[in-house]
Amino acid sequence: MKPFCAAIVFGLSAVGGAVHAATPATAATPAAARTPFQIRCEDSIAKTVSVLSAKQNGYTINNQLPYRALTAKSGNMDNRMVTLGLTVTKGQYAVDLGGPVLQDAASGYECIAPRVDVKLNYSPVLIYVGNEFAPGTCGYNAILEHEQRHLQAYMENLARVEKVVREALSKRFEAKPLYAPSGTAMSALEHEINGTWFPFIRDEFEKGRPKQAEIDSPEEYARMGKVCDGEIAAILLRRHKNN
């Protein structure tokens, strides 16, 4: 029995289209009675899957950029909308692979009981508030409160992704070892993680997009224009006239 280990790391933008990937099916095994090699593999080596999400450590506020720069950064320049605040983060995931391997010289095959450790998190969150709004003012606080709703939606999505990924990986890998020609089991496992599970995790992260869009509804934009006795709209109008 010899151990293998590998590390695979990937990241993606936290906002993206929702695409669902089907949970991968378990590897096919012979329907006939188990061979001595199968018995040795399936009864003597353990299977382990763990999925953990990192705790988030709050957020950082940047109050240095004007709303025009934030509008350009958010990509809203052609939508006749202005961006007063912006929350920036990135969905990230890392997978550590390993597990004991048993070889069968007679058949030329080996088996691996996968150890799959998945870590999920969002990168440190940066919240922008336009520099037209001084800290402590009503307009600043209203914009910050809106952006904190985006932050909360990201954290709720992270908890959902953790649950979905854990259940899917457990269903896939905790049933039986994987079999492959000698010397190829680990590479086959890495190929499956890269080709199937990374897209699956990515797509689960991106299912948080609709919730973010709900927060930025037309009704919310209309409300923001009226809060603080119209302070936000008045500041924007003054800036627009000065430019």
Side-chain angles (χ1 to χ4, degrees):
M1 183 181 300
K2 55 183 181 178
F4 281 86
C5 62
I8 306 173
V9 182
F10 200 78
L12 74 160
S13 171
V15 289
V19 182
H20 182 67
T23 302
T26 55
T29 54
R34 295 190 302 169
T35 66
F37 179 49
Q38 286 178 300
I39 293 174
R40 192 156 61 96
C41 286
E42 295 171 10
D43 296 354
S44 66
I45 53 181
K47 284 75 70 176
T48 304
V49 173
S50 66
V51 180
L52 300 174
S53 60
K55 297 294 184 182
Q56 298 302 305
N57 296 316
Y59 53 88
T60 301
I61 300 175
N62 184 309
N63 189 220
Q64 299 176 347
L65 299 179
Y67 79 86
R68 291 182 183 276
L70 298 184
T71 301
K73 184 182 288 288
S74 67
N76 284 333
M77 292 298 288
D78 297 328
N79 295 336
R80 297 185 180 181
M81 302 289 289
V82 296
T83 300
L84 309 180
L86 187 65
T87 300
V88 178
T89 187
K90 179 181 291 187
Q92 297 179 325
Y93 41 93
V95 179
D96 289 330
L97 301 177
V101 175
L102 295 178
Q103 295 185 332
D104 180 45
S107 66
Y109 271 72
E110 66 186 12
C111 65
I112 181 172
R115 191 204 71 242
V116 183
D117 295 323
V118 182
K119 295 180 177 62
L120 309 171
N121 71 291
Y122 279 107
S123 63
V125 177
L126 177 59
I127 295 180
Y128 291 93
V129 178
N131 65 9
E132 294 82 4
F133 306 94
T137 62
C138 181
Y140 176 94
N141 292 336
I143 294 169
L144 180 59
E145 180 182 2
H146 172 90
E147 295 307 318
Q148 288 173 325
R149 291 173 58 194
H150 284 290
L151 172 61
Q152 180 61 31
Y154 282 128
M155 297 305 102
E156 291 173 356
N157 189 53
L158 178 61
R160 183 196 62 79
V161 173
E162 178 184 348
K163 180 176 184 295
V164 170
V165 172
R166 180 189 295 110
E167 291 177 352
L169 283 170
S170 296
K171 182 178 180 181
R172 168 67 179 96
F173 289 114
E174 289 189 349
K176 293 180 181 295
L178 302 181
Y179 295 87
S182 292
T184 67
M186 191 63 190
S187 62
L189 179 58
E190 290 176 351
H191 180 76
E192 180 175 336
I193 294 296
N194 278 305
T196 300
W197 289 101
F198 272 175
F200 180 82
I201 295 172
R202 177 199 65 206
D203 295 341
E204 287 300 324
F205 261 114
E206 292 182 350
K207 287 180 180 179
R209 180 195 286 268
K211 182 62 177 179
Q212 299 294 336
E214 288 177 12
I215 296 172
D216 288 331
S217 66
E219 292 78 13
E220 175 66 2
Y221 285 135
R223 184 188 72 83
M224 291 293 289
K226 299 175 182 177
V227 299
C228 304
D229 296 324
E231 172 188 317
I232 292 176
I235 290 175
L236 293 179
L237 182 60
R238 286 198 301 270
R239 280 296 181 101
H240 181 72
K241 288 181 178 179
N242 292 336
N243 292 325

